[in-house]
Amino acid sequence: MSNLKVIEHSGVKATFAERLKYAMCKAGINQNTLAQKTNASKSAISQYLAGKNTPSPERIKALSDVLEVSVDFLIGFGHDPDFNLRLYLSDISTEALLDEIKRRCSK
């Protein structure tokens, strides 16, 4: 399932982990709550967020249901209007991208 780890959006690479973090932030759900609501272990959620593991299709569906985003968004085939990365150059650092996501989520 490594083909899900890196996804393209408007020419900028966004990982499954980055999209999951964004969706969690937008939904106001932390790791513990997400683990509980999806019947996943806290360790599994942590690994998804660190980009060390990719969830099964069934788990992706559960994540999308709880976070109220589409499966397509999580795996990179759809987009959330708030997740617009067109303004970024392809060489943006992951840290800068996550900082921007946090900034948008704090509004």
Side-chain angles (χ1 to χ4, degrees):
M1 304 216 26
S2 62
N3 60 332
L4 294 179
K5 287 192 178 182
V6 177
I7 48 185
E8 292 284 336
H9 184 74
S10 303
V12 177
K13 290 184 179 184
T15 64
F16 176 85
E18 290 165 336
R19 287 175 177 265
L20 181 60
K21 288 173 191 175
Y22 169 80
M24 288 172 63
C25 179
K26 188 173 176 188
I29 294 177
N30 64 31
Q31 289 183 41
N32 292 336
T33 302
L34 187 61
Q36 183 180 32
K37 289 187 174 193
T38 59
N39 294 320
S41 68
K42 293 175 191 174
S43 173
I45 299 297
S46 178
Q47 287 182 356
Y48 303 154
L49 291 168
K52 294 181 179 180
N53 198 356
T54 305
S56 68
E58 294 81 11
R59 182 76 66 210
I60 292 171
K61 174 66 172 126
L63 293 167
S64 75
D65 289 346
V66 170
L67 297 170
E68 297 181 355
V69 296
S70 69
V71 168
D72 284 352
F73 170 75
L74 287 177
I75 65 172
F77 291 109
H79 86 275
D80 179 302
D82 294 332
F83 196 71
N84 184 354
L85 304 179
R86 293 177 211 270
L87 302 175
Y88 298 104
L89 301 174
S90 60
D91 61 351
I92 188 171
S93 72
T94 299
E95 183 177 331
L97 176 62
L98 292 175
D99 286 345
E100 177 62 14
I101 290 169
K102 287 176 187 173
R103 184 188 67 75
R104 290 181 184 195
C105 286
S106 66
K107 288 182 178 180

